[in-house]
């Protein structure tokens, strides 16, 4: 047998001492580390470029140089799905997105543009929403998934940038990018249980710089908080596996238990939390422990509950029994009389209120009616006013102001009682208005006569001018 180079080594995330390796013989071998021998072999048609386990360790996804994406049922040693991956000729990478049924891949297009793809393992015929173009850099993009913050980190090989996306609503949303002038040849991420929760560090990367040293890069959420931030630190996978290697090779499945980072934040021993997939039946039990009144109706004796419901109906029947014995006829008549008297009082008070309201409303219209009578002489004056407006241009203001003065002596020449003076005022007003009308009519007549004279004089002048024009025309015609 010829020895081939090993390209990838990856432990099973759920079972202990189960290891997957890929090599140049186009295979992925599953090893039992305790026995020191391979137990399963996944055969490919070309060199495997990348591989990743599912969260429960039962499936593996691989990419190879033949541009295929394969999802393997490992213990069956057969691919469950085979679909075309990135169309470019360069290497592609893949990572399983934690407990989701999704995988993320990076690769190249036919035009050598770097791409990002999101795949549904139930139907991986094509990426969800198509490939997303990142840039045109030639280096391979290495994907890393953080299940705690639901973020995907992409580190470019040969450049110093690390960009990260958030998986939300079934797609990747770009967040930001870490930039550095030092290129990286390899990148690895610290397990989530090792981050500094007091500094709000969500993850930490280690990159190799110039093959001479390793540089740590911390990704920190900028917050001012002195307490544990539970929204960015959900329970994470601990150090205990879900099963042994023998159990896994026999077909067992399950998620490993998780630990609560709040206990580590407080400096205590890590508290273990069972995985959500294994104790599905335990979830309601924990909720019932949080709400103590709920377990009381859980006991099965349903018939005694029905027996208790019957006396409840009897108590409902007793309520009308209390009403029947006490009232007597005399008491009822007295109570009715009292009620009637109460209603009578209310009616009297309401009528009194109505009367008072009517008295308040009467004087208001009485005070408003007299001014309407004062407005009667106004329409009599409007007709001559309209005439004066039409001929206002030739009338001088002195002629109009003179007739207005006569009403004053009429009002002052009546030194009598208040009743007589009030009666004489409208008569004097009518006389003054009549005199003013006569004066204005005389003025209008004089103006019309003067205008007629001027018009007749102008017409005579025009006639003379026309005669002179005709005479001049005749003289000019004779000379010519």
């Amino acid at each position: 047998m010829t020895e081939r180079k090993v390209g990838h080594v990856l432990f099973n995330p759920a079972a202990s001492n189960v290891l997957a390796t890929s090599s140049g013989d186009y295979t992925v071998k599953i090893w039992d580390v305790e026995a020191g021998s391979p137990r399963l072999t996944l055969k490919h048609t070309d060199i495997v470029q990348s591989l990743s386990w599912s969260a429960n360790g039962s499936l593996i996804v691989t990419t190879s140089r033949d541009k295929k994406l394969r999802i393997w049922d490992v213990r069956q040693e057969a691919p469950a799905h085979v679909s075309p991956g990135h169309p470019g000729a360069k290497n592609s990478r893949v990572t399983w997105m934690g407990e989701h049924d999704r995988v993320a891949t990076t690769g190249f297009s036919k035009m050598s543009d770097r791409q990002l793809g999101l795949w549904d393992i139930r139907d991986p015929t094509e990426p969800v929403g198509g490939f997303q173009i990142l840039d045109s850099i030639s280096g391979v993009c290495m994907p890393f998934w953080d299940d705690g913050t639901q973020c995907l980190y992409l580190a470019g090989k040969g450049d110093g940038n690390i960009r990260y996306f958030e998986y939300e609503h079934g797609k990747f949303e770009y967040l930001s990018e870490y930039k550095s002038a030092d290129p990286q040849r390899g990148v690895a991420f610290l397990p989530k249980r090792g981050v500094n929760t007091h500094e709000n560090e969500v993850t930490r990367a280690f990159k190799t710089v110039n093959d001479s040293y390793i540089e740590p890069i911390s990704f920190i959420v900028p917050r001012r908080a002195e307490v544990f931030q539970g929204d960015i630190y959900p329970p994470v996978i601990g150090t205990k596996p879900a099963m042994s290697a023998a159990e896994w090779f026999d077909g067992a499945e399950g998620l490993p238990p998780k630990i609560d980072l709040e206990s580590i934040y407080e400096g205590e021993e890590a508290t273990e939390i069972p995985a959500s997939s294994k104790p599905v039946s335990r979830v309601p039990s924990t909720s019932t422990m949080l709400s103590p009144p709920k377990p009381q109706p859980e006991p099965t004796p349903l018939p005694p509950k029905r027996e208790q419901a019957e006396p409840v109906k009897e108590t409902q029947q007793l309520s009308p029994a209390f009403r029947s014995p006490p009232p007597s006829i005399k008491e009822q008549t007295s109570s009715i009389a009292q009620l009637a008297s109460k209603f009578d009082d209310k009616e009297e008070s309401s009528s009194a209120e109505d009367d008072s309201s009517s008295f308040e409303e009467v004087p208001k219209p009485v005070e408003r009616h007299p001014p309407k009578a004062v407005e009667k002489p106004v329409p009599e004056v409007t007709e001559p006013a309209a005439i004066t407006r039409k001929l206002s241009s030739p009338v001088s203001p002195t002629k109009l102001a003179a007739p207005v003065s006569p009403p004053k002596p009429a009002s002052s020449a009546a030194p009598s009682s208040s009743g007589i003076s009030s009666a004489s005022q409208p008569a004097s007003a009518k006389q003054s208005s009549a005199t003013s009308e006569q004066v204005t009519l005389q003025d209008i007549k004089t103006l019309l006569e003067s205008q007629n004279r001027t018009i007749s004089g102008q017409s005579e002048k025009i006639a003379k001018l026309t005669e002179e024009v005709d005479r001049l025309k005749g003289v000019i015609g004779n000379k010519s």
Side-chain angles (χ1 to χ4, degrees), residues 188-219:
F189 277 74
L190 184 73
K192 195 61 176 282
R193 58 182 178 271
V195 298
N196 188 351
T197 55
H198 290 273
E199 298 293 336
N200 294 333
E201 183 185 30
V202 291
T203 190
R204 190 186 305 169
F206 298 90
K207 75 171 187 177
T208 59
V209 179
N210 298 326
D211 293 337
S212 57
Y213 64 94
I214 296 175
E215 178 184 356
I217 303 169
S218 295
F219 294 86

Side-chain angles (χ1 to χ4, degrees), residues 339-350:
L339 292 171
S341 62
K342 289 180 180 179
F343 285 112
D344 292 337
D345 295 337
K346 290 180 180 178
E347 290 176 357
E348 290 175 1
S349 62
S350 63

Side-chain angles (χ1 to χ4, degrees), residues 433-466:
S433 62
T435 54
S436 62
E437 289 176 359
Q438 292 176 358
V439 172
T440 53
L441 289 172
Q442 291 176 359
D443 294 335
I444 291 167
K445 288 179 181 180
T446 53
L447 289 171
L448 290 172
E449 290 176 356
S450 63
Q451 286 179 357
N452 290 328
R453 292 173 184 174
T454 54
I455 290 167
S456 61
Q458 289 176 356
S459 61
E460 291 177 356
K461 290 180 180 180
I462 291 167
K464 291 179 180 180
L465 290 172
T466 52

Side-chain angles (χ1 to χ4, degrees), residues 347-417:
E347 290 176 357
E348 290 175 1
S349 62
S350 63
S351 63
E353 291 174 359
D354 294 334
D355 294 336
S356 63
S357 64
S358 64
F359 282 116
E360 291 175 357
E361 293 175 357
V362 169
K364 292 180 181 179
V366 170
E367 293 177 357
R368 293 175 183 173
H369 287 299
K372 294 181 180 178
V374 178
E375 296 175 356
K376 290 181 181 179
V378 175
E380 296 178 358
V381 184
T382 54
E383 294 178 358
I387 297 168
T388 54
R389 286 179 184 176
K390 292 180 182 178
L391 302 172
S392 60
S393 58
V395 179
S396 63
T398 56
K399 293 180 180 180
L400 293 174
V404 179
S405 58
K408 291 183 180 179
S411 62
S412 62
S416 62
S417 63

Side-chain angles (χ1 to χ4, degrees), residues 270-291:
T271 57
E272 186 175 312
I273 300 175
S276 59
S277 63
K278 289 176 69 178
V280 174
S281 60
R282 296 180 188 175
V283 174
S285 65
T286 56
S287 63
T288 54
M289 291 295 290
L290 293 174
S291 56

